[in-house]
Amino acid sequence: MDDIDAMFSDLLGEMDLLTQSLGQETVPPAPLPSTKEEANFSIGFTDLNASLHELEDNDLDALMADLVADLNATEEKLAAEIEGLKVPTPPPSELPLPPPPNDLITPPASSLISPTSPASTSSNVSTPSPSTTSPLPPPQSKKPTKEEIEAQMKADKIKLALEKLKEAKVKKLVVKVLMNDGSSKTLMVDERQNVREVLDNMFEKTHCDCNVDWSLCETNPELQLERTFEDHENLVEPLLAWTRDSENKILFQERGEKHEVFKNPQNFYLWKKDKKTLKDIKDKDKELLIQENFCGTSIIVPDLEGVLYLKEDGKKSWKQRLFQLRASGIYYVPKGKTKSSRDLVCFIQFDNVNVYYGKDFKSKYKAPTDFCFVLKHPQIQKESQYIKYLCCDDAWSMNLWVTGIRIAKYGVSLYENFKTAEKKAAVSAVWTNRSTPSSSNPSTPSPTIKAKSPSQANGHAPKPQPGPVPQDFPPPPPPPPLGEILPPPPPDPILPPPMPPLAAKSALKPAGPQKHLPTNFPPPPLAMDNLPPPPPPPPIDDASEAPPDFLPPPPPAAGFGSLPPPPPSMVNSLPPSPASFGGMGLPPPPPDPVSLPPPPPSQPVFTGAGAPPPPPPPPPPPAAPAAVPRVAVRPAGSLKKVPPAPPKRTTPPLHGGGGGGGGGDFMSELMLAMKKKSSDH
Amino acid sequence: MAAWDLSVTVEDLGSDAPPVAISVASDLHVGGVILKLVEKTQIKRDWSDHALWWDQKQQWLLRTAWTLEKYGIHADARLVFMPQHKPLKLGLPNGITLRLRASFSCPVFQTVMGICRMLNIRHPEELSLLRPVEEKKKKKDKDLAEEIYDLTEVPLSSVSRPCLYNGMPAHFVDSPQMEAIYKMLSVTQPPPAPEVIAKQYRPASVVDKAHINGRWLDSSRCLMQQGIQENDRLWLRFKYSAFYDIEPKYDVVRLTQLYEQARWAILLEDIDCTEEEMMLFGALQYHISKVAQSEPQMLSTNAAMDDLESALMSLEVKMEGENSSASELLETMTAPELCDYLKIFRPKRLTLKGYKQYWFKFQDTSISYFKSKEESIGEPIQQINLRGCEVAPDVNVASQKFLIRLLIPAPEGMNEVYLRCENEQQYAQWMAACRLASKGKSLADSSFQSEIQSIRSFLAMQKSNSHGNATAGDESINTHSLVSPRYHKKYKPKQLTPRILDAYQNVAQLSLTDAVMRFLQIWQALPDFGLSYVVVRFKGSRKDEVLGIAPNRLIRIDLGVGDVVKTWRYNTMKQWNVNWDIRQMAIEFDGNVNIAFSCVTADCKIVHEFIGGYIFMSTRSREKSDTLNEELFHKLTGGHEAL
């Protein structure tokens, strides 16, 4: 008995660790059917009923699908875990939870009503009623011993308690996201979800090209501000700061400036050079700049200094001051003092403020130009003396400052976000190229513990701890091959040995998934069994530090000089990738590679794949994922699925409701609304 | 061949002993000379480290197979037979002097490698030796008091012995003395007394900073060739600001010494920073010294992991209980709360009422207050959520003022609220709660108790400061020890304490290693970090200017204005040349940019070595191999004297 107890605590510990480390893969606990009444849904809307009634049918369907999928996934997970508990002591390195066989066969109910099929009828929705899919007792081949039963009961209890503990605190919001074409999407956002996950969710709902520029933006019409959320931020928290009567909106847009610093680092780190030099800079020099400023022990903030206009507290006038950006904050040079560091006066530090773009400040605040940015505490929603308004001469310098401040505030997270976004874009490029975008799973909120960066001292950019830095793809290229560009010193004319040939390293970066992280999700679906399995993890260091998700490495990023050309096998079937970051997403779709098989037959094949959040890398052909250059982000026209027609309704945004107030039992309200709707029909 | 007499001074016979004369022929090889010498002296000892030094030519005769003829040695040669490794007094970055045996016969680059191996510092290529700044002060009493750690007894062969845990060399566990030395190397020193900081030489200008770089030894020549004598004092310092592959687990000594060098660079204003940055550096130093004292060994324990484990353990224990149900579990795990009578004041409200007493309750991340304790069951007068708020202390222990200033964000702006506590105890608790709440953590957070502790120790610091001289005790640190002398003049310790405390709240929870790393990161993020200055005269220019050499670029600084006028990055460099006759450096960059300059405050070999060295540093590849490409280093930095 003691042994079993010990085993449980081991297992629990491991599961918990996994939940933390593999945030993206775990399906969060959703309210269990039995405890639904107690589940504390904290909705950011007071008039829940009103908002529910306002919903379009398809919104409601999609929302319902999200919720049901949530439930279902949790149940499956629970069942899987219970099953797993019976396995004899597992090897510690992997999660010993083979899913019960029935999971493989039964596609999650969510697939029936995946949000990608907004046309699904309400009858579909009601089919997988939560109560009917209560956790199945795992199939048992032999009679469990008494101890096993006891153990299982105990495990159940522990699990239940843990889930309840977590669930009790989780806030969820129904969020309406406005699209560029004026339409909108409604989705459920869990407080543990970060913006990246919400974006992924949006990608699935919109069938956009998933390029790195897609962003969620927050607008504040009252203050005429807007801000792009960073991908690692949690979405719910800033939304809770909105006031009841807020007219703020969330937009889903392509924002080039979000990752511009990684596409053209020279514009930020060498901004003093003349424009032509900056334009002609070589890719390998860009790479070197990123390396120097984002991959060292410390994140380096662009060296910015310049005269900006400052709106004086509570006054209408704008005054010029010489400002300087440092990692620790923005400083200005007081009158009659030198620019020496010790004389600088601190204007603001970044711990408690966000940076926003100001819109049309010339007319609103009589600003000298319209190129304004603002620093304020995220909770401030109305005009206040605590908001700092700054104005630049031109858009160029405004972007320099805003980006510089973001680097100082968020540090290495920005670079990690970019790498993740690139990976995502690459995967979807492959995906869309091959098949109609299919829903993998509608809603996969997951605990994102890592999203919260540790508290920072005075706004100094956080740095990854040297040890556990995820060595994400692209792998940090070897240090700049200075030896190659630089001449040997006199008098000895022998060159330093060239860097390990870049190609050597890159050749080791094959397509296919990284090492599969242990998970309790079913392996690739049975339907795909006839397909070649994804290639095994490459035997390189990086494999041991697999990124915490299933995404295959990004395709050769056009802008990185050091990244490999597509593997030879693919070269002939693909157009060469243009060597510029700017071209992302813009070039015409490359012809569908001839070597690729026809798009997978039908959606169920994919939905049947179970609910692992990021789609597993497509099996055929083995080399495809990494080989397809990123330019292929747009699907070939013939294959692209027509996005659903935008809803005609133009009701005010859903999130008009105030923040924080508990909205009663959301589930039952939703059910009521559903019922009402079906009876109306 | 004719035999002739060669006289050789044998050092081991004493300085007064006459040279030993041996009869040699020109075709005798150096090994034979040594054999004869040893036979003649009739001393039985291990001679394996000894070699011949040719005084006139300033050259070691290390190739024992070479004949005297090949070396060109005649009867008039003054040869000295002496050990290649001799004791050296080595000033470490932490200010402590170490006596150890270093090689006087191989290039300084290798000597440093040997020293670093003995001290357990990885990546010796980043360090080098320099001549110390002379201390003009009367040094009679000082020298006697100075404690010198002696490592000369360490056998030279010990480097090949296996390392113990944490990569600590085995020779450091031989005796308690050796263990003490390792502790000195690997544990940060307590903050120096303010007088000590004030007494040290501080560069006042960029030209002053340039002078120090003239003191670096030449890496391609040996110590003997550079006039270094036995028992001379040299400094060991990190020379190249490109710290590669720092791994706290293996780099305990390296990190500690790097931190010490950075700390002194800040304290002596070797590198400029702003006042806010200085306060943060001060707070980190305070924290590091406090943690280092409480945990003598560098242990990078992962607090979060421990928490998780203990939480799971306690959960397990609870589940063992007979009637435990999930709901009971939930009840027992409800967050703790603080309740007390406090006084509140809202400066923004236009009332003259001043502080008013209420019954306060701290729950989760919110403060609620009620008219009295009896009415605390009902609705509070107001509830304030402290998430995201700014918390500032306003404390004066002497006058018993314990104020917490809160700046609470609201949609309309920030609301100012002051909470007044009665005593230290109450203040520490509520302050800690406010700080945690501002970061979104509740009282249940594991850091609550340690937060209270750190607040109390800071209060203690203020107490001792207010009683005149600070004693160098455990708890009390004079805040003047944490900042540069500029701030000694600007602020009294009492005024400095709250400012450092303010910065301290952001770092108070860091582990020792994390705090050291944070210090280094902020140091490296300073705009002037990594710049080594040299005063130069550009070709065609009539005034002195300053060349700044950074890990990735060269900058040209106008001495008149103090501004950077030009930046050249190494990756645009096409070639560089040194004209050793006129001692001028010429560099060509992409786009036909040519510069040439002569060096004023340092030899051009030093400048050449800096540039070549940084290029060498950038070639170190990511693949972890312990072998250092020494040959490449010498090719890049050697110049005409190399090889």
Side-chain angles (χ1 to χ4, degrees):
Chain A
M1 196 59 202
D2 282 346
D3 284 352
I4 294 174
D5 282 351
M7 195 177 92
F8 279 146
S9 64
D10 275 355
L11 269 175
L12 269 176
E14 257 179 74
M15 287 189 305
D16 235 61
L17 282 180
L18 279 166
T19 325
Q20 290 184 8
S21 59
L22 310 179
Q24 277 138 309
E25 281 165 38
T26 43
V27 173
L32 299 169
S34 55
T35 60
K36 211 167 62 193
E37 294 78 31
E38 300 161 32
N40 170 23
F41 270 108
S42 175
I43 309 284
F45 312 99
T46 41
D47 49 345
L48 180 66
N49 276 323
S51 59
L52 279 176
H53 290 301
E54 259 176 26
L55 287 170
E56 281 287 315
D57 285 1
N58 56 357
D59 282 344
L60 203 51
D61 285 345
L63 202 56
M64 197 59 203
D66 281 3
L67 293 173
V68 173
D70 251 22
L71 286 175
N72 231 286
T74 314
E75 278 155 20
E76 271 171 37
K77 187 181 157 212
L78 200 55
E81 275 163 4
I82 290 165
E83 171 76 353
L85 285 169
K86 305 180 67 192
V87 177
T89 317
S93 58
E94 43 187 323
L95 192 69
L97 302 175
N102 59 339
D103 274 11
L104 275 179
I105 299 150
T106 323
S110 59
S111 62
L112 293 174
I113 47 156
S114 92
T116 49
S117 50
S120 60
T121 61
S122 53
S123 63
N124 261 349
V125 181
S126 51
T127 328
S129 128
S131 55
T132 59
T133 52
S134 57
L136 292 170
Q140 287 159 0
S141 48
K142 60 172 182 185
K143 279 232 167 209
T145 65
K146 182 172 166 265
E147 275 159 43
E148 275 174 332
I149 294 173
E150 260 178 42
Q152 188 188 321
M153 278 166 60
K154 193 192 244 174
D156 266 335
K157 266 197 221 163
I158 295 174
K159 196 64 205 153
L160 196 75
L162 282 176
E163 303 264 322
K164 274 182 85 171
L165 279 176
K166 280 183 195 153
E167 194 57 39
K169 287 185 170 175
V170 172
K171 288 186 188 123
K172 290 182 181 173
L173 285 185
V174 175
V175 174
K176 184 161 147 182
V177 180
L178 294 180
M179 318 283 288
N180 264 349
D181 61 2
S183 65
S184 68
K185 297 275 175 205
T186 307
L187 57 153
M188 176 93 127
V189 184
D190 180 306
E191 79 172 332
R192 296 162 300 187
Q193 270 180 303
N194 65 18
V195 171
R196 178 75 255 161
E197 290 165 297
V198 178
L199 279 176
D200 290 349
N201 219 331
M202 287 301 291
F203 287 170
E204 277 156 20
K205 286 178 196 272
T206 59
H207 320 299
C208 70
D209 63 8
C210 307
N211 75 52
V212 295
D213 289 343
W214 285 103
S215 313
L216 286 182
C217 309
E218 167 191 29
T219 63
N220 182 328
E222 187 169 345
L223 292 171
Q224 292 179 205
L225 297 180
E226 68 176 50
R227 175 174 92 94
T228 304
F229 291 116
E230 307 297 343
D231 290 0
H232 66 279
E233 279 183 86
N234 277 17
L235 186 58
V236 167
E237 204 178 315
L239 301 191
L240 289 179
W242 291 5
T243 54
R244 255 158 229 277
D245 51 345
S246 173
E247 287 174 30
N248 294 7
K249 290 182 179 58
I250 295 185
L251 312 179
F252 180 59
Q253 285 181 332
E254 283 174 277
R255 302 292 293 240
E257 74 269 12
K258 182 162 80 166
H259 295 305
E260 180 65 16
V261 67
F262 303 109
K263 298 180 209 161
N264 287 300
Q266 76 280 10
N267 291 347
F268 300 88
Y269 285 95
L270 305 176
W271 58 277
K272 285 176 187 158
K273 304 248 180 211
D274 61 289
K275 302 275 187 302
K276 184 167 178 307
T277 321
L278 294 183
K279 225 179 128 199
D280 295 344
I281 193 162
K282 293 180 213 106
D283 284 347
K284 76 165 186 259
D285 291 337
K286 290 184 184 180
E287 176 59 23
L288 182 63
L289 280 173
I290 292 179
Q291 194 70 28
E292 276 174 10
N293 295 297
F294 288 93
C295 304
T297 344
S298 187
I299 299 296
I300 308 300
V301 171
D303 170 28
L304 287 187
E305 183 183 288
V307 175
L308 301 178
Y309 301 91
L310 167 67
K311 186 173 178 292
E312 290 189 271
D313 287 349
K315 289 189 200 153
K316 278 188 180 157
S317 63
W318 293 75
K319 202 169 153 187
Q320 283 187 313
R321 271 195 187 284
L322 180 55
F323 285 97
Q324 216 183 67
L325 178 70
R326 297 170 73 100
S328 58
I330 297 179
Y331 293 78
Y332 63 85
V333 180
K335 270 201 193 98
K337 293 273 188 157
T338 64
K339 284 195 284 185
S340 120
S341 304
R342 54 185 82 128
D343 290 336
L344 293 176
V345 175
C346 186
F347 171 66
I348 200 164
Q349 298 193 302
F350 306 126
D351 296 299
N352 294 314
V353 295
N354 283 337
V355 60
Y356 299 78
Y357 285 102
K359 288 278 165 233
D360 205 16
F361 274 17
K362 232 165 141 176
S363 54
K364 187 173 169 87
Y365 297 117
K366 297 198 168 54
T369 74
D370 264 338
F371 309 108
C372 297
F373 66 93
V374 153
L375 291 153
K376 70 167 183 73
H377 193 289
Q379 295 209 21
I380 299 179
Q381 298 289 322
K382 299 181 189 310
E383 285 202 38
S384 148
Q385 53 161 330
Y386 293 95
I387 302 180
K388 308 282 186 197
Y389 303 88
L390 289 160
C391 178
C392 311
D393 284 331
D394 48 32
W396 165 277
S397 73
M398 174 176 71
N399 266 330
L400 267 181
W401 277 94
V402 172
T403 307
I405 293 166
R406 286 170 56 226
I407 296 170
K409 181 171 170 67
Y410 302 110
V412 79
S413 302
L414 288 188
Y415 187 44
E416 277 159 7
N417 290 345
F418 173 66
K419 286 189 288 189
T420 313
E422 245 192 343
K423 249 184 278 171
K424 180 76 189 173
V427 174
S428 68
V430 174
W431 232 183
T432 47
N433 231 15
R434 293 187 55 253
S435 64
T436 50
S438 67
S439 69
S440 55
N441 64 324
S443 162
T444 57
S446 63
T448 50
I449 287 127
K450 57 166 187 172
K452 280 249 185 237
S453 52
S455 69
Q456 302 163 21
N458 287 357
H460 281 281
K463 275 292 303 170
Q465 290 312 305
V469 181
Q471 295 259 320
D472 265 6
F473 281 93
L482 274 170
E484 287 175 329
I485 11 170
L486 286 170
D492 192 333
I494 301 166
L495 273 171
M499 290 295 73
L502 295 167
K505 178 130 192 174
S506 50
L508 289 172
K509 220 185 341 150
Q514 281 306 296
K515 183 178 87 181
H516 272 257
L517 294 170
T519 168
N520 48 3
F521 289 124
L526 297 176
M528 287 181 169
D529 271 359
N530 54 337
L531 301 172
I540 48 170
D541 310 355
D542 299 313
S544 57
E545 299 157 339
D549 60 25
F550 278 115
L551 301 180
F560 284 113
S562 67
L563 286 179
S569 65
M570 290 301 296
V571 169
N572 39 13
S573 63
L574 284 168
S577 50
S580 125
F581 265 109
M584 254 186 352
L586 297 176
D592 205 18
V594 272
S595 61
L596 297 178
S602 61
Q603 208 161 309
V605 172
F606 287 90
T607 49
V628 179
R630 208 200 14 211
V631 289
V633 280
R634 269 177 203 285
S638 59
L639 291 176
K640 187 177 177 186
K641 190 171 172 184
V642 182
K648 289 139 244 156
R649 175 177 55 91
T650 50
T651 45
L654 230 189
H655 31 258
D665 179 2
F666 177 69
M667 260 331 231
S668 49
E669 294 284 358
L670 195 57
M671 286 311 252
L672 261 174
M674 297 291 300
K675 259 186 218 144
K676 191 170 167 223
K677 193 186 66 176
S678 37
S679 61
D680 284 351
H681 281 264
Chain B
M1 213 176 261
W4 41 275
D5 274 356
L6 179 67
S7 58
V8 178
T9 309
V10 179
E11 223 184 51
D12 297 70
L13 295 177
S15 51
D16 299 334
V20 176
I22 49 172
S23 172
V24 295
S26 293
D27 62 349
L28 183 66
H29 50 73
V30 170
V33 175
I34 293 175
L35 199 66
K36 285 193 172 197
L37 264 177
V38 168
E39 279 168 3
K40 189 130 188 201
T41 55
Q42 296 199 323
I43 301 174
K44 277 207 173 11
R45 56 160 296 171
D46 177 10
W47 294 100
S48 60
D49 190 44
H50 282 58
L52 288 168
W53 165 256
W54 187 2
D55 199 37
Q56 289 107 321
K57 284 270 173 80
Q58 291 283 296
Q59 185 188 3
W60 286 90
L61 310 180
L62 293 176
R63 291 169 203 261
T64 46
W66 279 25
T67 59
L68 292 175
E69 193 176 12
K70 192 163 183 187
Y71 267 120
I73 290 173
H74 303 288
D76 61 345
R78 283 201 307 276
L79 295 185
V80 186
F81 187 56
M82 58 181 175
Q84 298 177 57
H85 288 80
K86 297 175 171 211
L88 200 63
K89 275 192 213 146
L90 201 64
L92 297 175
N94 63 3
I96 302 251
T97 305
L98 201 63
R99 210 162 147 265
L100 49 68
R101 276 196 286 162
S103 166
F104 275 61
S105 64
C106 49
V108 164
F109 189 72
Q110 273 181 17
T111 306
V112 174
M113 279 169 74
I115 293 171
C116 288
R117 219 176 298 133
M118 190 182 287
L119 303 184
N120 195 26
I121 297 175
R122 297 195 313 150
H123 295 289
E125 67 273 15
E126 290 160 6
L127 294 96
S128 193
L129 298 172
L130 71 167
R131 296 185 172 87
V133 177
E134 297 84 6
E135 284 166 48
K136 289 169 214 149
K137 303 277 164 69
K138 41 180 180 179
K139 46 159 83 173
K140 5 178 176 144
D141 49 352
K142 189 82 165 56
D143 255 10
L144 290 172
E146 190 184 44
E147 189 181 5
I148 293 186
Y149 291 83
D150 201 336
L151 271 178
T152 50
E153 298 307 310
V154 174
L156 294 168
S157 58
S158 79
V159 284
S160 54
R161 281 166 67 185
C163 283
L164 295 182
Y165 63 95
N166 283 347
M168 176 171 151
H171 55 251
F172 282 121
V173 284
D174 288 349
S175 67
Q177 289 82 7
M178 294 300 279
E179 275 174 37
I181 293 177
Y182 192 74
K183 191 173 173 222
M184 175 278 292
L185 288 170
S186 57
V187 178
T188 56
Q189 297 295 307
E195 309 81 57
V196 174
I197 305 176
K199 223 161 56 179
Q200 300 252 346
Y201 168 76
R202 287 191 307 278
S205 67
V206 71
V207 177
D208 285 355
K209 290 177 195 171
H211 277 283
I212 191 88
N213 287 316
R215 301 176 164 274
W216 291 105
L217 295 187
D218 186 339
S219 299
S220 28
R221 299 194 301 149
C222 70
L223 290 179
M224 280 300 281
Q225 285 169 329
Q226 302 185 57
I228 309 296
Q229 301 294 318
E230 185 171 334
N231 280 321
D232 272 4
R233 181 186 293 269
L234 286 178
W235 282 354
L236 178 72
R237 292 288 184 274
F238 291 87
K239 180 179 181 184
Y240 299 100
S241 308
F243 313 117
Y244 181 67
D245 182 34
I246 289 181
E247 174 55 68
K249 204 172 150 199
Y250 303 114
D251 285 331
V252 183
V253 178
R254 182 180 176 210
L255 264 183
T256 307
Q257 297 304 321
L258 188 55
Y259 161 73
E260 292 282 354
Q261 187 167 331
R263 177 233 290 249
W264 281 103
I266 301 287
L267 289 181
L268 300 179
E269 295 184 3
D270 216 11
I271 180 165
D272 273 348
C273 65
T274 64
E275 193 170 317
E276 284 70 21
E277 287 156 353
M278 183 62 85
M279 297 306 144
L280 182 53
F281 283 125
L284 280 165
Q285 286 176 68
Y286 170 74
H287 183 62
I288 289 168
S289 78
K290 204 167 73 120
V291 184
Q293 276 167 16
S294 62
E295 46 168 326
Q297 290 294 328
M298 270 246 190
L299 292 174
S300 43
T301 49
N302 191 335
M305 283 297 294
D306 290 349
D307 286 352
L308 184 71
E309 262 165 39
S310 62
L312 278 170
M313 284 309 285
S314 70
L315 184 65
E316 187 74 6
V317 169
K318 282 187 177 123
M319 298 309 295
E320 295 286 345
E322 270 187 28
N323 311 321
S324 65
S325 72
S327 59
E328 253 176 85
L329 192 66
L330 274 179
E331 270 163 40
T332 57
M333 288 186 75
T334 45
E337 46 181 60
L338 278 181
C339 294
D340 216 335
Y341 278 106
L342 300 178
K343 288 176 180 159
I344 189 170
F345 176 55
R346 297 164 164 278
K348 276 285 136 65
R349 300 249 167 109
L350 294 168
T351 52
L352 300 167
K353 272 189 207 153
Y355 288 91
K356 227 176 150 186
Q357 178 163 299
Y358 292 101
W359 176 254
F360 278 79
K361 195 165 166 184
F362 206 119
Q363 213 170 10
D364 200 21
T365 59
S366 302
I367 287 182
S368 320
Y369 59 91
F370 309 83
K371 259 217 155 71
S372 67
K373 185 178 180 181
E374 291 67 39
E375 290 173 48
S376 65
I377 309 121
E379 281 284 300
I381 298 171
Q382 204 197 1
Q383 186 173 24
I384 310 167
N385 193 342
L386 299 188
R387 221 188 151 93
C389 78
E390 286 172 39
V391 187
D394 185 355
V395 176
N396 191 329
V397 181
S399 56
Q400 288 290 297
K401 176 173 146 197
F402 300 102
L403 209 57
I404 304 171
R405 292 172 187 259
L406 300 169
L407 204 54
I408 299 152
E412 294 77 22
M414 308 292 260
N415 294 321
E416 258 185 286
V417 174
Y418 297 172
L419 294 182
R420 182 159 200 155
C421 303
E422 282 306 312
N423 53 48
E424 229 175 283
Q425 166 69 15
Q426 198 184 40
Y427 168 79
Q429 280 189 350
W430 285 81
M431 186 66 177
C434 290
R435 289 224 182 109
L436 290 185
S438 74
K439 293 174 200 152
K441 294 182 194 164
S442 75
L443 297 182
D445 197 273
S446 59
S447 55
F448 183 52
Q449 286 305 325
S450 61
E451 189 79 50
I452 292 179
Q453 270 314 311
S454 65
I455 291 168
R456 298 183 78 169
S457 63
F458 236 98
L459 288 178
M461 191 160 108
Q462 206 191 39
K463 222 190 258 170
S464 62
N465 285 339
S466 59
H467 294 312
N469 284 340
T471 46
D474 302 329
E475 284 291 317
S476 58
I477 293 176
N478 186 336
T479 41
H480 274 179
S481 300
L482 306 171
V483 293
S484 73
R486 169 182 317 279
Y487 298 97
H488 299 179
K489 288 170 210 144
K490 197 166 173 185
Y491 299 109
K492 290 182 195 141
K494 208 162 57 181
Q495 297 167 304
L496 216 46
T497 306
R499 301 215 45 193
I500 293 182
L501 179 62
D502 207 22
Y504 177 64
Q505 55 178 300
N506 285 321
V507 299
Q509 300 304 326
L510 295 177
S511 75
L512 180 55
T513 311
D514 289 348
V516 169
M517 291 300 284
R518 177 71 61 82
F519 191 98
L520 295 178
Q521 279 159 13
I522 300 169
W523 174 53
Q524 290 179 66
L526 294 176
D528 293 340
F529 168 77
L531 283 171
S532 307
Y533 301 101
V534 184
V535 177
V536 296
R537 177 78 58 94
F538 277 91
K539 200 177 170 185
S541 166
R542 279 146 109 235
K543 55 175 192 208
D544 283 350
E545 281 167 272
V546 170
L547 182 75
I549 307 167
N552 58 358
R553 65 193 191 279
L554 297 174
I555 58 171
R556 180 176 182 172
I557 300 168
D558 185 301
L559 269 178
V561 195
D563 271 1
V564 175
V565 278
K566 193 78 193 154
T567 302
W568 303 281
R569 289 170 54 82
Y570 296 148
N571 64 332
T572 62
M573 201 157 142
K574 285 172 91 165
Q575 63 166 355
W576 85 96
N577 275 295
V578 185
N579 184 332
W580 296 105
D581 297 328
I582 56 169
R583 305 203 87 72
Q584 188 185 60
M585 282 204 71
I587 310 179
E588 186 187 343
F589 295 94
D590 281 350
N592 278 329
V593 177
N594 284 289
I595 59 170
F597 54 85
S598 54
C599 308
V600 180
T601 55
D603 189 85
C604 71
K605 171 66 165 70
I606 291 175
V607 177
H608 167 64
E609 208 176 284
F610 256 118
I611 297 174
Y614 273 126
I615 287 162
F616 172 79
M617 299 298 152
S618 69
T619 64
R620 293 179 290 180
S621 70
R622 286 219 155 238
E623 286 133 59
K624 300 213 171 116
S625 73
D626 284 339
T627 53
L628 184 57
N629 193 341
E630 214 178 308
E631 196 186 340
L632 174 61
F633 182 86
H634 286 302
K635 273 175 189 156
L636 285 164
T637 62
H640 71 317
E641 288 146 330
L643 307 170

